[in-house]
Amino acid sequence: MGRPDPEEGQLPAPVKPPDGGWGWIVLLGCFVITGFSYAFPKAVSVYFKELMKDFHVGYSDTAWISSIMLAMLYGTGPVCSIMVNQFGCRPVMLIGGLLASAGMILASFTTNIIELYLTAGVLTGLGMALNFQPSLIMLGTYFDKRRPLANGLAAAGSPVFLSSLSPLGQVLLEKFGWRGGFLIMGGLLLNCCTCGAVMRPLDMGMKRKMGKAQDKYEAKEMLPIGGKSEEGISTDGTKKGKKGKKKPKKGKKLLDFSIFSNRGFIIYTISKFILVLGLFVPPILLVNYAKDTGVPDTEAAFLLSIIGFIDIFARPACGMVAGLKWVRPHVAYLFSFSMLFNGLTDICSARASNYTGLVIFCVFFGISYGMVGALQFEVLMAIVGSQKFSSAIGLVLLIEAFAVLIGPPSAGRLVDALKNYEVIFYLAGSEVALSALFLGVASYCCLNRGKKEAPPENNPSAGAGSDTEEAESDVQEAEEHSSDNHQPAHSTDNAVVAANEEANHVAEEQSGEGGGCPAGDGEVLARDGCNADQMVERDSF
C-alpha cells in the first residue's frame, strides 16, 4: 500500500521548522520581548531620583524595584514552563503583556514605595517573565538551520532597547514627571500583547487540515469496516472516542524533571550558575569605578553606551558564526570560549587607571558579553531539544535567580568593606573563567564517552527517507486494523509510537546495508522534530 498523501490524513507532527516565512515575524516579536525584558528593569532607574524625593527614601530602597523585576523574570521560570505546557505560548504571552502594562499603569497612582514594589516590581516583572520565556520557545520552534542566527538577532534586542528606553525615559520624566512617564511606559508595554498575538503555533494549519482529511483516509484505507470512521455516531464509537482523548492528557507533564538525567543539561546548569555570579558585576560597578579614578561623570556614563553599541553588533555576528556547518556541532565550545574571553577581559582590566584603558575594556567586554548573550540559549536548545526546552529554560532561570541575588549584592558589600574595585574585578573575572573551564572540560569528557557508546553515523533516528515514511503509514494501518474492536479511532498516539519504532527499524536496516538516506532527498527531518545535525549535537552530550 502506498504511503498517504499529507493532504489526505497524514499526521502533522512533527512539523519541520520553516526557517523563514512567518518565522521572521516571530523573530521580530522575540526581538521586542527580549528588549523589554532585559532593558526595562535598567531603564526605570532614570526615575529613581524623583522617586527618592517624593517618597523620602534612599537609593537602595528605589533600587529594589529593578531587583524585584529581575527576580521575577528569573525566579518564575518554572511557573512559566507549567503555564506554557498547559495553555500554549500565545495565551500566556497575551496575559503577560496585560500584566506588565497594568503594573506600570497602577504604579503611576501609587503613594508609597511598598505599592511600587508590588505594582512596578512584582506585577510588571511577572508580566515580562510570562512573555520572555514563551518567545524563546516559539523561536526554537520556527527555526532550525538558522536558529543560531535567529537567537543572535533576538538577543540584540536587549542593547538596542537599553540604548533607546533610557533616553526616552529621561525625556518623559522632564515633560510629564515620573507618574506620566510610568503611565506612558505602561502603554508601551502593551506592545508585548501584539508580539504575543503573532506567535502562531507552527502546526495549527496542519491540525486544521487533519479533521476531514484523516477521517476520509482512515475510512477508505485503514478501517476494515466500510463506512465506519472516526466520527462514527454509534454509541460505542462515541464512548471510545472520549476515552482516547483522555489518554494523552494523563501522560502530559507540566514540568519535565527528566531533563536532570541529561548530563549535558547538568553541566550547562552548573556552569551558568557560576557564570551569573560574576557576569553582571563589572557593568554594574563600572561607572562608580571610573568616577573613583577621576573620570568626569558624563564620560563615565558614556562607557556603558560603548558596551551597548558594541553589544548590538556582537550578538548577530556571533549568531552567524555559530550557524556555520563546521562550528554548530561544537557550539558548546564556542560558548565556553566566549565566557573565558569575558572572564579574562575582567581580570586584565582590573588595573585600568585611566579613561583610555577603560574604553578598551568596554570594547572587549562588549564583544565577549554579546557572544555570551547570543549563545546561552542556543546551547541549551542544542542540549535538550525543542520538545523539552520549555521545561529546561524554566528550571535554568530559577537556578540563575539565586546567582543573581548572590553575585551583585555580594560584590557591593565587598566594595563597601574593602574600598577597592580591583579585587572585585579579579573575583568576577575568576568566576566567569571558572565557569568557562568547567563547561569546556566537562563537555569534552561527555563527548568522548558519548562517541564510544553510540557512534553518530549509526544513529537510527537520523536516517530514513521515503521508505521510512512508507513504513510508518503501513504500521499505522496495521495498528488501526488490529485495534478496531478495542481502541477508538481517535487513538492515533499509539499508532504514532508504533510508526516511530518501525521507522527506526527500517533506518537501522538501511544503515546496515549502507543505503543511508537516498541521494537527492536532502536533509531529512528526524521523527522527534529535529534534523540529523541536531541529533548529533544532543548525542554529543
Side-chain angles (χ1 to χ4, degrees), residues 29-228:
C30 191
F31 176 89
V32 175
I33 294 296
T34 303
F36 275 125
S37 300
Y38 279 119
F40 201 86
K42 303 171 186 175
V44 295
S45 61
V46 300
Y47 300 100
F48 284 175
K49 286 187 178 181
E50 292 297 321
L51 294 175
M52 291 165 61
K53 293 178 181 178
D54 283 10
F55 294 143
H56 306 289
V57 294
Y59 180 82
S60 59
D61 296 319
T62 56
W64 271 104
I65 299 173
S66 298
S67 299
I68 293 173
M69 282 186 184
L70 290 174
M72 295 299 294
L73 180 64
Y74 285 96
T76 58
V79 177
C80 297
S81 296
I82 292 173
M83 293 185 67
V84 168
N85 290 335
Q86 181 68 22
F87 304 108
C89 291
R90 183 189 287 181
V92 173
M93 292 183 68
L94 291 174
I95 294 173
L98 292 175
L99 288 177
S101 176
M104 292 303 296
I105 292 174
L106 291 175
S108 64
F109 299 100
T110 56
T111 57
N112 57 65
I113 195 69
I114 302 298
E115 292 177 355
L116 268 179
Y117 292 160
L118 296 176
T119 53
V122 175
L123 200 58
T124 300
L126 177 60
M128 290 190 296
L130 293 178
N131 275 274
F132 176 62
Q133 188 171 320
S135 68
L136 292 176
I137 295 171
M138 290 301 298
L139 191 67
T141 303
Y142 270 86
F143 288 91
D144 178 19
K145 294 180 181 179
R146 296 175 178 173
R147 194 180 65 204
L149 175 61
N151 276 314
L153 290 172
S158 175
V160 170
F161 271 63
L162 182 60
S163 60
S164 57
L165 284 179
S166 295
L168 175 63
Q170 189 64 42
V171 172
L172 294 177
L173 178 64
E174 294 173 357
K175 290 189 175 182
F176 305 104
W178 70 267
R179 294 186 184 274
F182 274 21
L183 192 64
I184 296 174
M185 286 287 195
L188 288 177
L189 285 175
L190 283 174
N191 287 291
C192 295
C193 294
T194 305
C195 296
V198 304
M199 300 294 174
R200 184 173 64 196
L202 186 58
D203 59 344
M204 185 178 67
M206 294 291 291
K207 284 183 177 179
R208 286 176 178 173
K209 294 177 182 179
M210 236 190 106
K212 294 182 180 179
Q214 185 161 338
D215 292 343
K216 186 187 296 184
Y217 172 75
E218 289 182 353
K220 190 180 293 184
E221 297 205 337
M222 298 184 74
L223 295 179
I225 302 176
K228 181 178 179 182

Side-chain angles (χ1 to χ4, degrees), residues 215-457:
D215 292 343
K216 186 187 296 184
Y217 172 75
E218 289 182 353
K220 190 180 293 184
E221 297 205 337
M222 298 184 74
L223 295 179
I225 302 176
K228 181 178 179 182
S229 63
E230 282 186 352
E231 294 181 359
I233 55 174
S234 64
T235 308
D236 295 337
T238 305
K239 290 180 180 178
K240 289 176 182 177
K242 290 180 180 179
K243 243 184 219 180
K245 287 181 180 179
K246 291 180 181 178
K247 284 184 179 179
K249 294 183 179 180
K250 290 180 181 178
K252 189 174 182 180
K253 294 181 180 179
L254 297 181
L255 195 60
D256 191 356
F257 289 97
S258 65
I259 54 176
F260 283 105
S261 61
N262 187 331
R263 288 176 298 177
F265 177 75
I266 297 296
I267 293 170
Y268 176 86
T269 303
I270 296 174
S271 63
K272 274 303 290 293
F273 179 83
I274 302 172
L275 171 70
V276 174
L277 287 175
L279 181 65
F280 302 122
V281 171
I284 291 175
L285 301 179
L286 178 62
V287 175
N288 290 332
Y289 177 41
K291 290 179 181 179
D292 285 356
T293 58
V295 177
D297 292 356
T298 55
E299 295 181 1
F302 184 69
L303 293 173
L304 291 178
S305 301
I306 296 175
I307 293 178
F309 181 77
I310 299 296
D311 195 6
I312 291 174
F313 298 98
R315 297 193 183 209
C318 185
M320 293 179 63
V321 173
L324 298 176
K325 290 183 178 180
W326 55 275
V327 175
R328 192 171 183 185
H330 310 290
V331 68
Y333 294 117
L334 181 60
F335 184 46
S336 178
F337 169 77
S338 65
M339 292 191 295
L340 183 62
F341 183 17
N342 186 271
L344 293 177
T345 300
D346 295 341
I347 294 173
C348 293
S349 62
R351 292 194 175 186
S353 56
N354 53 49
Y355 189 70
T356 303
L358 290 175
V359 169
I360 294 174
F361 159 73
C362 291
V363 171
F364 284 99
F365 185 86
I367 295 173
S368 59
Y369 189 79
M371 292 175 66
V372 172
L375 295 174
Q376 56 179 344
F377 297 119
E378 168 61 25
V379 174
L380 181 59
M381 288 180 187
I383 292 173
V384 302
S386 59
Q387 299 298 322
K388 295 185 178 182
F389 180 71
S390 60
S391 296
I393 188 176
L395 295 171
V396 167
L397 289 177
L398 176 62
I399 294 171
E400 286 184 22
F402 293 101
V404 169
L405 295 176
I406 294 173
S410 300
R413 291 182 181 179
L414 286 175
V415 170
D416 293 337
L418 302 176
K419 305 297 181 182
N420 187 352
Y421 287 93
E422 183 178 333
V423 177
I424 306 304
F425 274 76
Y426 278 130
L427 181 60
S430 299
E431 290 169 343
V432 176
L434 177 62
S435 67
L437 295 176
F438 176 80
L439 178 64
V441 173
S443 298
Y444 179 77
C445 295
C446 287
L447 277 171
N448 284 346
R449 187 178 302 176
K451 287 180 180 179
K452 291 178 182 178
E453 291 177 357
E457 61 270 14

